[in-house]
Amino acid sequence: MANFDLILLALIAVFIFLRLRSVLGSKDGNEENRNHRDMFNPGPAEEADRGDERDNVIHLPGSEPQNPAQQKPADVVTEIQPVGPVQQALADIMEVDPNFDQHGFVEGAGGAFDMIINAFANDDRETLQNLLTKEVYQNFEQALDARKAAGETLETTVIGINSIEITDANLADNLAEVTVRIISEQVNVTTDSNGDVVDGDNNYIDTITDVWTFERDVTSKSPNWFLKATQTE
């Protein structure tokens, strides 16, 4: 009788395990773009004078290996190859900066994207100040101040990056600019001081398209790139 009880308990345990796995392994996201607030709302901005002394942790192309925590969050990211004038501009940048590598840049941009998104959600101003140009940081800071004054809290989860595409590049007066179009899946929820949701939904995954422009002085000894402009399509 005892053996029968053990067998019965084992069968029940297996059944519960299979049920749990079927539930946990079948998460469905929202496949359509949903209306959401532009979290940053900084328009394209030209950067004021700044030194190269900031310890920017965006090591995009041709620099030290990234810390695993800075890697792009998605397991598989589609890199769309640039063509035509964009490819020529990338070749121009590579000619004056032999360490530049577009594939390394794309990989680093994915890691930088994840870091900046999370730093903004967590009000991590020190990290943002080291990753952004002066003008863009000021725009982010204004958004953070407004959120704080309203008593709101933002929770962001980057589920993954679907694709990254270099859409534009330019080299002028030793200043290199590279623009990337990043399609990611995120959950963004803003709550008020009472914990009530004022924007977003925990039950839906937004597919968001961001266009970010990074810049770097190619004559600088620093390999660091800075986020110059953001736009959400």
Side-chain angles (χ1 to χ4, degrees):
M1 188 69 176
N3 289 335
F4 175 79
D5 291 340
L6 289 175
I7 293 173
L8 180 60
L9 288 173
L11 291 174
I12 293 174
V14 170
F15 174 77
I16 293 175
F17 170 76
L18 292 176
R19 290 289 296 171
L20 285 174
R21 190 174 71 170
S22 68
V23 173
L24 296 177
S26 60
K27 182 178 179 180
D28 292 326
N30 181 27
E31 300 300 329
E32 299 179 356
N33 286 321
R34 303 175 64 250
N35 293 328
H36 59 278
R37 249 192 303 193
D38 186 345
M39 293 188 299
F40 310 128
N41 197 29
E46 296 298 328
E47 182 191 12
D49 182 45
R50 70 170 190 281
D52 289 321
E53 299 301 322
R54 291 183 290 175
D55 184 20
N56 183 350
V57 292
I58 307 181
H59 299 297
L60 295 181
S63 57
E64 300 85 2
Q66 292 184 355
N67 184 294
Q70 301 171 9
Q71 298 295 330
K72 57 186 181 298
D75 293 331
V76 178
V77 176
T78 300
E79 178 184 346
I80 303 174
Q81 297 300 318
V83 296
V86 176
Q87 186 62 59
Q88 181 58 53
L90 293 174
D92 293 341
I93 295 173
M94 192 178 302
E95 185 175 353
V96 297
D97 182 9
N99 290 323
F100 180 81
D101 173 73
Q102 70 182 54
H103 305 294
F105 183 94
V106 166
E107 183 176 356
F113 177 83
D114 188 50
M115 291 179 63
I116 292 171
I117 291 290
N118 284 288
F120 180 80
N122 296 325
D123 202 351
D124 184 353
R125 303 188 186 211
E126 181 178 359
T127 295
L128 292 173
Q129 200 165 19
N130 289 328
L131 300 175
L132 314 178
T133 63
K134 191 177 205 178
E135 295 272 339
V136 173
Y137 174 74
Q138 290 175 350
N139 290 330
F140 274 51
E141 188 175 40
Q142 290 175 3
L144 291 172
D145 288 343
R147 192 172 75 200
K148 185 176 181 179
E152 296 178 345
T153 301
L154 173 64
E155 294 184 8
T156 294
T157 302
V158 179
I159 305 300
I161 295 176
N162 297 339
S163 67
I164 302 180
E165 175 186 8
I166 296 179
T167 59
D168 197 11
N170 184 56
L171 177 65
D173 297 328
N174 295 320
L175 191 64
E177 294 183 2
V178 179
T179 299
V180 291
R181 184 173 183 263
I182 303 173
I183 299 178
S184 66
E185 293 184 341
Q186 303 177 29
V187 176
N188 293 292
V189 179
T190 302
T191 55
D192 60 20
S193 56
N194 297 320
D196 296 325
V197 175
V198 296
D199 187 64
D201 191 330
N202 276 314
N203 296 318
Y204 290 97
I205 298 175
D206 287 337
T207 300
I208 301 175
T209 301
D210 289 285
V211 178
W212 285 17
T213 299
F214 294 91
E215 72 172 20
R216 175 179 177 267
D217 183 348
V218 294
T219 64
S220 171
K221 295 180 180 179
S222 171
N224 304 328
W225 290 74
F226 298 89
L227 179 62
K228 177 184 179 179
T230 70
Q231 180 182 355
T232 301
E233 289 186 356

